[in-house]
Amino acid sequence: MTRLRSSDDDTARGTGGTTTTDTADTADTADTADTTGMAESADALLAAARQGDSTAFEALVTAHRGELYAHCYRMLGSVQDAEDALQESLLGAWRGLSGFEGRSSLRAWLYRICTNACLRLAAHRPRRMLSPDHGPPRRDTADLGEPVTGPVWLEPWPDDGPAPEPEGRAAGAGDPEARWLRRESVELAFVAALQYLPGTQRAVLILREVLQFSAAETARILETTPASVNSALQRARRTVAPLTPDTTQRAELEALGEDGRRELVDAFMTAWERADVSALLKLLTEDARFTMPPLPAWFDGRDDVVRFLTERVFATPWRLVPLRANGQPGFACYLREPGSPAYRIGAINVLTVRSGRIAEITGFLDPELHRRLGLPPEHPAPARHGRDDSIREER
């Protein structure tokens, strides 16, 4: 806990006022009282919920809902599947609350229910993937293939959705470092790598390394032994390590700094809206990728990416709205079809950054996904008929 420090040296030495130790002891006492009060309140809510009080049950689970939702997303790689699993889990928890005996925390009990719901759902669904897992890159910009439908593509996680934050100080609530770690645990590359794991290994890796449950707690959640948990964790680590970059997006974005991140987003947005290919070239790494599920086509290498943008994407005018997804910079992308004055949602683009440049543009084109994420169907600002629009219309 952060202790208060007096700005008065005499007070700090214990002369002329209250010492910092006294202040800290007072704070610790208040903190203990708060914790005791919270525990008593939770016990009262639990007792009421067991008597059938749905309002008390909702109050109990509200503190955990965001982190459980994020857990389901990591397990399943889909916002929609995560919502389904969470709803099933909370319904199961409500119906089975009388069976909760308090031998573990309520949080651990809820994670047990959610994890098992995810494992059941995952057993009947194909692995969620990104475009490079589906097939090789293409060079022909005229043939993008037919959309691959069904629950096969990894979906983006909206950063403005329910916060994936554990409860309580011990879990790091309110700690900026802990928040960063949780954001890191929903990065596209990490969530995509998780999908390569068998269900139990996936659950073990998330419970142990993301959520910091002990081996014993994880074993109770999965109804197995600590030895089996440790064995599964080692196998999961070996699988995931080569599938994830050495440097996380968190570290890449931190290295850019706030000004650098803003400059990169502004430069990309301006270049895209103006169809400025030369400016985009400067922003992309030499091995940049562009993917666009549910279309199977994707392009590998800066030259092929820029050629695709020039020949296909920039044939229509665009407006971009910055957003964040999976802890990474992104955009809601609106395009204006010929003869229409309105810019309508066409894609969500998520950027992957490496050494200050853009290494991958992951585009999500599914209109149903856009609706589920609550994106406005039209650009919120009036269409700007400026220099960039006229250039593309002349083409």
Side-chain angles (χ1 to χ4, degrees):
M1 187 181 102
T2 302
R3 296 183 180 273
L4 302 176
R5 296 182 62 185
S6 170
S7 58
D8 187 326
D9 288 343
D10 288 339
T11 301
R13 288 191 296 269
T15 59
T18 304
T19 65
T20 56
T21 301
D22 292 338
T23 306
D25 288 344
T26 302
D28 284 341
T29 301
D31 208 28
T32 301
D34 287 345
T35 302
T36 302
M38 289 171 61
E40 291 174 350
S41 176
D43 289 342
L45 287 172
L46 180 59
R50 280 173 164 160
Q51 296 299 315
D53 187 337
S54 60
T55 302
F57 176 77
E58 183 62 29
L60 272 177
V61 301
T62 292
H64 309 285
R65 186 183 296 272
E67 59 168 316
L68 292 171
Y69 185 26
H71 176 59
C72 293
Y73 171 72
R74 296 183 194 102
M75 285 288 296
L76 300 169
S78 161
V79 172
Q80 181 61 55
D81 286 353
E83 290 175 355
D84 293 344
L86 180 60
Q87 291 305 313
E88 176 188 331
S89 299
L90 294 182
L91 180 60
W94 167 245
R95 290 173 173 171
L97 192 59
S98 60
F100 174 60
E101 299 176 353
R103 287 180 293 182
S104 63
S105 68
L106 177 67
R107 177 173 178 257
W109 183 69
L110 291 172
Y111 266 103
R112 177 181 178 181
I113 296 171
C114 274
T115 300
N116 284 314
C118 290
L119 290 172
R120 287 193 299 272
L121 187 57
H124 297 93
R125 295 285 178 90
R127 174 174 64 87
R128 295 276 179 169
M129 60 185 170
L130 293 173
S131 298
D133 301 323
H134 183 266
R138 301 193 182 193
R139 303 206 67 196
D140 183 1
T141 64
D143 179 16
L144 305 181
E146 292 298 319
V148 178
T149 58
V152 296
W153 300 108
L154 192 73
E155 295 177 355
W157 168 267
D159 279 14
D160 60 353
E165 296 192 1
E167 63 165 340
R169 289 182 175 85
D175 177 5
E177 176 71 11
R179 284 197 298 272
W180 264 116
L181 288 172
R182 290 189 291 276
R183 179 175 293 173
E184 190 174 273
S185 71
V186 293
E187 290 179 5
L188 277 176
F190 179 67
V191 177
L194 287 173
Q195 308 312 304
Y196 278 87
L197 297 173
T200 300
Q201 289 184 31
R202 193 183 312 169
V204 166
L205 185 68
I206 295 170
L207 291 169
R208 292 284 287 116
E209 300 211 330
V210 174
L211 298 167
Q212 301 293 298
F213 283 104
S214 68
E217 289 171 321
T218 302
R220 284 194 293 271
I221 289 172
L222 296 174
E223 299 181 323
T224 186
T225 64
S228 295
V229 165
N230 290 332
S231 176
L233 180 60
Q234 294 304 315
R235 295 196 301 273
R237 284 171 173 166
R238 286 195 296 269
T239 300
V240 166
L243 299 174
T244 51
D246 293 335
T247 306
T248 65
Q249 286 301 286
R250 169 201 174 185
E252 294 282 3
L253 295 170
E254 277 190 325
L256 276 175
E258 185 177 351
D259 291 341
R261 293 193 293 271
R262 186 184 307 112
E263 289 172 4
L264 181 65
V265 167
D266 289 347
F268 181 88
M269 183 171 171
T270 300
W272 190 281
E273 290 190 342
R274 294 188 176 185
D276 189 339
V277 174
S278 297
L280 276 171
L281 269 171
K282 297 175 183 177
L283 298 176
L284 301 177
T285 62
E286 188 173 349
D287 60 348
R289 289 176 168 181
F290 188 101
T291 66
M292 50 191 144
L295 291 176
W298 62 284
F299 295 89
D300 192 19
R302 181 170 55 196
D303 292 343
D304 282 356
V305 169
V306 168
R307 185 165 53 82
F308 169 67
L309 294 175
T310 302
E311 295 177 3
R312 295 296 301 269
V313 176
F314 294 152
T316 55
W318 292 83
R319 292 286 174 265
L320 271 57
V321 177
L323 52 77
R324 289 188 64 86
N326 298 86
Q328 300 171 219
F331 302 89
C333 305
Y334 294 81
L335 75 162
R336 182 162 66 85
E337 298 289 357
S340 172
Y343 285 79
R344 301 188 183 279
I345 186 68
I348 299 169
N349 281 355
V350 180
L351 307 185
T352 298
V353 178
R354 187 172 72 239
S355 301
R357 301 171 80 183
I358 297 165
E360 185 161 352
I361 305 169
T362 306
F364 298 93
L365 310 186
D366 184 0
E368 181 58 32
L369 176 62
H370 305 158
R371 285 191 290 271
R372 287 203 304 269
L373 296 181
L375 294 176
E378 293 188 3
H379 191 276
R384 300 193 306 266
H385 296 289
R387 170 172 167 258
D388 50 350
D389 282 1
S390 61
I391 289 173
R392 275 170 286 191
E393 286 167 355
E394 288 172 4
R395 291 178 180 174

